[in-house]
mmCIF file of all heavy atoms in Angstrom:
data_model
loop_
_atom_site.group_PDB
_atom_site.id
_atom_site.type_symbol
_atom_site.label_atom_id
_atom_site.label_comp_id
_atom_site.label_asym_id
_atom_site.label_seq_id
_atom_site.Cartn_x
_atom_site.Cartn_y
_atom_site.Cartn_z
ATOM 1 N N LYS A 212 -77.853 68.382 91.549
ATOM 2 C CA LYS A 212 -79.197 68.861 91.106
ATOM 3 C C LYS A 212 -79.184 68.809 89.601
ATOM 4 O O LYS A 212 -78.176 68.732 88.913
ATOM 5 C CB LYS A 212 -79.405 70.294 91.610
ATOM 6 C CG LYS A 212 -79.631 70.421 93.076
ATOM 7 C CD LYS A 212 -80.990 69.972 93.500
ATOM 8 C CE LYS A 212 -81.242 70.183 94.991
ATOM 9 N NZ LYS A 212 -82.611 69.743 95.400
ATOM 10 N N GLU A 213 -80.417 68.969 89.161
ATOM 11 C CA GLU A 213 -80.601 69.076 87.663
ATOM 12 C C GLU A 213 -80.990 70.490 87.245
ATOM 13 O O GLU A 213 -81.360 71.257 88.094
ATOM 14 C CB GLU A 213 -81.705 68.088 87.153
ATOM 15 C CG GLU A 213 -81.323 66.583 87.463
ATOM 16 C CD GLU A 213 -82.215 65.613 86.749
ATOM 17 O OE1 GLU A 213 -83.154 66.145 86.112
ATOM 18 O OE2 GLU A 213 -81.953 64.350 86.766
ATOM 19 N N LYS A 214 -80.809 70.735 85.970
ATOM 20 C CA LYS A 214 -81.059 72.095 85.433
ATOM 21 C C LYS A 214 -82.537 72.473 85.813
ATOM 22 O O LYS A 214 -83.416 71.617 85.902
ATOM 23 C CB LYS A 214 -80.903 72.148 84.029
ATOM 24 C CG LYS A 214 -79.451 72.241 83.546
ATOM 25 C CD LYS A 214 -79.321 72.583 82.097
ATOM 26 C CE LYS A 214 -80.084 71.627 81.208
ATOM 27 N NZ LYS A 214 -79.919 71.963 79.732
ATOM 28 N N ARG A 215 -82.708 73.751 86.183
ATOM 29 C CA ARG A 215 -84.009 74.317 86.528
ATOM 30 C C ARG A 215 -84.477 73.901 87.832
ATOM 31 O O ARG A 215 -85.614 74.499 88.343
ATOM 32 C CB ARG A 215 -85.030 74.017 85.501
ATOM 33 C CG ARG A 215 -84.793 74.730 84.138
ATOM 34 C CD ARG A 215 -85.772 74.356 83.121
ATOM 35 N NE ARG A 215 -85.676 72.884 82.689
ATOM 36 C CZ ARG A 215 -84.834 72.481 81.726
ATOM 37 N NH1 ARG A 215 -83.979 73.263 81.119
ATOM 38 N NH2 ARG A 215 -84.848 71.136 81.444
ATOM 39 N N GLU A 216 -83.726 73.098 88.572
ATOM 40 C CA GLU A 216 -84.150 72.833 89.964
ATOM 41 C C GLU A 216 -83.641 73.950 90.953
ATOM 42 O O GLU A 216 -83.041 74.876 90.567
ATOM 43 C CB GLU A 216 -83.571 71.457 90.420
ATOM 44 C CG GLU A 216 -84.185 70.292 89.862
ATOM 45 C CD GLU A 216 -83.777 68.980 90.460
ATOM 46 O OE1 GLU A 216 -82.609 68.820 90.764
ATOM 47 O OE2 GLU A 216 -84.660 68.103 90.603
ATOM 48 N N THR A 217 -84.073 73.819 92.226
ATOM 49 C CA THR A 217 -83.648 74.778 93.216
ATOM 50 C C THR A 217 -82.770 74.063 94.266
ATOM 51 O O THR A 217 -82.788 72.932 94.382
ATOM 52 C CB THR A 217 -84.889 75.368 93.989
ATOM 53 O OG1 THR A 217 -85.552 74.331 94.601
ATOM 54 C CG2 THR A 217 -85.801 76.081 93.030
ATOM 55 N N ALA A 218 -81.959 74.801 94.915
ATOM 56 C CA ALA A 218 -81.111 74.310 95.974
ATOM 57 C C ALA A 218 -80.983 75.362 97.147
ATOM 58 O O ALA A 218 -81.044 76.534 96.908
ATOM 59 C CB ALA A 218 -79.656 74.072 95.351
ATOM 60 N N MET A 277 -80.959 79.101 95.790
ATOM 61 C CA MET A 277 -80.535 79.207 94.292
ATOM 62 C C MET A 277 -81.765 78.552 93.498
ATOM 63 O O MET A 277 -82.111 77.360 93.801
ATOM 64 C CB MET A 277 -79.312 78.308 94.066
ATOM 65 C CG MET A 277 -78.177 78.745 95.091
ATOM 66 S SD MET A 277 -76.856 77.570 95.304
ATOM 67 C CE MET A 277 -75.992 77.912 93.731
ATOM 68 N N SER A 278 -82.195 79.267 92.524
ATOM 69 C CA SER A 278 -83.405 78.739 91.799
ATOM 70 C C SER A 278 -83.013 78.703 90.291
ATOM 71 O O SER A 278 -81.998 79.297 89.823
ATOM 72 C CB SER A 278 -84.632 79.684 91.950
ATOM 73 O OG SER A 278 -84.342 81.009 91.524
ATOM 74 N N SER A 279 -83.809 77.972 89.516
ATOM 75 C CA SER A 279 -83.581 77.891 88.035
ATOM 76 C C SER A 279 -82.100 77.533 87.776
ATOM 77 O O SER A 279 -81.402 78.231 87.073
ATOM 78 C CB SER A 279 -83.988 79.093 87.366
ATOM 79 O OG SER A 279 -85.337 79.498 87.614
ATOM 80 N N LEU A 280 -81.606 76.512 88.443
ATOM 81 C CA LEU A 280 -80.184 76.216 88.328
ATOM 82 C C LEU A 280 -79.779 75.951 86.853
ATOM 83 O O LEU A 280 -80.437 75.326 86.079
ATOM 84 C CB LEU A 280 -79.829 74.992 89.260
ATOM 85 C CG LEU A 280 -79.955 75.293 90.684
ATOM 86 C CD1 LEU A 280 -79.923 73.956 91.536
ATOM 87 C CD2 LEU A 280 -78.830 76.183 91.175
#
Side-chain angles (χ1 to χ4, degrees):
Chain A
K212 290 286 185 178
E213 296 192 355
K214 286 193 303 183
R215 293 179 290 277
E216 286 191 322
T217 61
M277 312 161 73
S278 63
S279 303
L280 288 168

